[in-house]
Amino acid sequence: MAETHSLQDLRQAAVASKVFVQRDYSSGTICKFQTKFPAELESRIDKQQFEETVQTLNNLYAEAEKLGGRSYLEGCLACLTAYTIFLCMETHYEKVLKKIAKYIQEQNEKIYAPLGLLLTDPIERGLRVVEIIIFEDRSIGSR
Amino acid sequence: MKNCEYQQIDPRALGTSNTRTSTTLKLPKNSQRLRRKWEVFPGKNRFYCDGRIMLARQCGVLPLTIGLIFITSGLFFTFDCPFLVDHLTVFIPVIGGVLFVFVIFTLLQTSFTDPGILPRALPDEAANIERQIDNSGSSTYRPPPRTKEILINDQVVKLKYCFTCKMFRPPRTSHCSLCDNCVERFDHHCPWVGNCVGKRNYRFFYAFIVSLSFLTSFIFGCVITHLTLRSQDENGIIQAIQDSPASVVELVICFFSIWSILGLSGFHTYLVAANLTTNEDIKGSWSSKRGEESGNPYTYNNIFTNCCVVLCGPMPPSLIDRRGFLPPDDAPQTVTSDTELPPFMSKNDANMCTQGTKELLESMAHSTVIQSTCAPGTPKTAPVTQESLLRTVSITVSPPNRPHSTGCSGRQARHPIDVSCSQKGNKRAALHTHKPMLHVPSTPYSHGRSPLTLSDAPDMGFIPLN
């Protein structure tokens, strides 16, 4: 069984490899990631845990891009003010992005870092991929 | 006493590359100024106000657009409004003023907003994509397959590989050769606003052309009214024209503008209602002429819903993080000639929580990687970036020798969209070629000029590190 590590311990670790979870375009251009479990993670993390993380991320992005009363109201109000409110106000999307960042940090601290993995926020990769850094197990805990 | 002070300092905080990097990141006390990401942006864009405002490098005729609007409106307010206020109502300059302000705001928003540029793939991501599609795992310099087919709403859509940005383009994304960027939901590159029109600024563009149609129609109507009333007062149209020559200038400008602007507004209203882009419409991506059951997979099959989605949908964020800071680079020459994007280690405030930890971890990782590949047992004290690591590896990606995929250059001359494509349609616009506006996809040959040099020794890369 792999040793458990904290986020701080990972500073001593070497990057073994990176896994990229690609976008899933089957529902159109909305931001959604594939929930297919990458083979490289098989030995490191539980499949269900991983799928749950990606599914939660997908749900959060769906919430950001949701078309509904609120987004239409924001859009109409913006139009009436010649879109100047975008300069002052934080949009709904940006608020959800903050939530996503927090969620990813929390997942890293609680679940992924102890297993020697690190999730990268997709916004840092242009919402193209979820990058998962796999750290080597050996060097952790030896110092 | 001195000895006590020295002993109190935690030895782990000194001497290792790790902490030194962290202090360098957090407290830039060295002489090197922290640079922002816009300064190393690989696309052909111009940035002002420290990255807050961006334009295409070729800003086209934006000054002309602004000039024409100001001149026409200025003449209107100076020469026509006083007469009309006396004879009709004071609301004329008020309405004119509101329209003018709306037009200028939306024009500036269209020009200065990021249209939805996709940041280029980082080296490890690009290498991963190439690894996935290179099934044989051999070290030949074959170009990766150029397309990938996916199903969107039961419709087959081809995703193309972009050789400049090193990634498969998402659906509806196109690479603009003028700006050298992949832009999401690419509509067209508009020289009149000096920027691409894409996902993030389409609504501004639409508001601009609609409000400009109203403004030009309004000014046109007011000038006609002015000249008519004046000719009645002064017994003749010639006398009226001689008294107010500015009105004739406005008349001429508006007359020629109206046709094109109204046509363009109508065309874009159709596109909005059908949830199409100019690019898709011109290429005929979803037309039924192909003989298949192809329809637009992105439409909601309801005009009202389509309009709401395109114009009032949620505003996506900018993906390129212009004002984020680059990690300090003590080897600036590592940025290769094809300007690889440095790692996006720092981000906006949304990610400040993870930022510090991640930067730490990634820089640790890289310094440790160098350590293992270079001299085991001698830790490198300088932080290294992915570029410097990449220098030791090289793969050449050669572009495909395929003919230009779109027939847009061939179809431009005959396409009925020609009229609307002239955007602002005065005399100069009629002479202005359509090509720059419609030449949206990039040529294969431009990619050839910027090969990524990663070696074909995948074992040396940081992906499988052994």
Side-chain angles (χ1 to χ4, degrees), chain B residues 83-84 88 92 220-230:
Chain B
F83 184 89
L84 291 167
L88 289 176
I92 288 185
F220 189 75
C222 288
V223 168
I224 297 276
T225 312
H226 172 205
L227 288 175
T228 313
L229 290 174
R230 206 182 261 273

Side-chain angles (χ1 to χ4, degrees), chain A residues 10-11 15-18 20 25-26 28 67 71-72 79 82-84 93 97 101 105 118 121 123-126 128, chain B residues 102 109 119 121 124-125 128 150-153 167 170-171 204 308 312 317 344 350-351 353-354 364-365 386 463 465:
Chain A
L10 285 177
R11 78 174 67 191
V15 176
S17 62
K18 291 188 184 183
F20 296 95
Y25 294 114
S26 57
L67 306 160
S71 70
Y72 291 154
C79 182
Y83 299 107
T84 47
Y93 208 117
L97 284 179
Q105 196 207 2
L118 190 71
D121 196 335
I123 195 75
E124 296 181 27
R125 299 288 178 266
R128 280 192 311 267
Chain B
F102 205 88
Q109 293 257 29
D124 43 358
E125 196 187 323
N128 177 261
I150 55 169
L151 267 183
I152 297 180
N153 292 333
M167 60 178 178
F204 307 144
C308 286
C312 301
F344 271 38
N351 296 321
C353 324
T354 49
M364 299 328 102
Q386 291 180 349
I463 296 168
L465 185 68

Side-chain angles (χ1 to χ4, degrees), chain A residues 11-130:
Chain A
R11 78 174 67 191
Q12 316 270 342
V15 176
S17 62
K18 291 188 184 183
V19 179
F20 296 95
V21 177
Q22 300 286 340
R23 282 273 292 270
D24 175 12
Y25 294 114
S26 57
S27 315
T29 50
I30 59 165
C31 185
K32 194 172 157 193
F33 292 96
Q34 293 176 357
T35 47
K36 190 171 77 89
F37 188 60
E40 295 91 332
L41 294 178
E42 259 167 36
S43 56
R44 304 296 282 255
I45 191 170
D46 183 31
K47 176 177 174 179
Q48 196 162 354
Q49 178 62 59
F50 173 79
E51 280 178 2
E52 192 190 306
T53 307
V54 178
Q55 195 55 51
T56 312
L57 278 179
N58 286 342
N59 292 341
L60 284 168
Y61 282 114
E63 186 198 322
E65 297 182 3
K66 195 169 73 121
L67 306 160
R70 189 197 164 135
S71 70
Y72 291 154
L73 189 65
E74 199 180 55
C76 288
L77 190 66
C79 182
L80 289 173
T81 60
Y83 299 107
T84 47
I85 63 165
F86 286 143
L87 303 169
C88 327
M89 238 177 59
E90 192 184 52
T91 64
H92 174 62
Y93 208 117
E94 285 165 355
K95 288 188 186 130
V96 179
L97 284 179
K98 284 192 174 159
K99 236 204 284 188
I100 290 171
K102 232 165 149 186
Y103 172 74
I104 288 181
Q105 196 207 2
E106 187 198 333
Q107 288 282 295
N108 274 334
E109 277 171 7
K110 288 191 191 152
I111 298 166
Y112 288 85
L115 299 169
L117 299 171
L118 190 71
L119 286 180
T120 306
D121 196 335
I123 195 75
E124 296 181 27
R125 299 288 178 266
L127 290 181
R128 280 192 311 267
V129 287
V130 177

